[in-house]
Amino acid sequence: GEPPAAAAAAACLDVSCAKKHEVNILTLAARRLGWATTARGCGGAVVWVNTREDVTQRLPKLRDEEMLSHVPGMGLTCSKDTLAR
């Protein structure tokens, strides 16, 4: 199930730290869930981050109702080079 704090927050995915090629798929996934997306870095129910630096920068700014989404190694796993193999 969904964490209660995230469910109570406005359903929005912050993609300001997402790589350019990730924004489209994240937007499609958010729409499928009935969520909005923002790229302004103002936060959301879920804040998508890629790098350790993104985590370090966004974690202190995280509000109680927000969750940080970080999957270590995802960039490398989804690179064109890796997928072409």
Side-chain angles (χ1 to χ4, degrees), residues 27-41:
T27 300
L28 287 172
R31 281 188 193 150
R32 188 162 189 163
L33 293 169
W35 290 26
T37 57
T38 182
R40 297 189 329 233

Side-chain angles (χ1 to χ4, degrees), residues 13 26 46-50 55 62 67-71:
L13 174 63
L26 291 170
V46 176
V47 179
W48 182 269
V49 293
N50 276 308
V55 172
L62 215 57
M67 292 187 304
L68 201 61
S69 178
H70 176 62
V71 181

Side-chain angles (χ1 to χ4, degrees), residues 3-78:
C12 184
L13 174 63
D14 184 334
V15 296
S16 60
C17 292
K19 304 289 184 199
K20 185 177 179 181
H21 66 277
E22 295 172 328
V23 173
N24 287 341
I25 192 68
L26 291 170
T27 300
L28 287 172
R31 281 188 193 150
R32 188 162 189 163
L33 293 169
W35 290 26
T37 57
T38 182
R40 297 189 329 233
C42 56
V46 176
V47 179
W48 182 269
V49 293
N50 276 308
T51 65
R52 191 175 310 171
E53 292 79 20
D54 291 341
V55 172
T56 303
Q57 179 186 17
R58 296 304 298 264
L59 193 57
K61 298 177 186 176
L62 215 57
R63 296 184 294 252
D64 288 342
E65 68 276 5
E66 294 177 322
M67 292 187 304
L68 201 61
S69 178
H70 176 62
V71 181
M74 184 57 73
L76 180 61
T77 303
C78 294

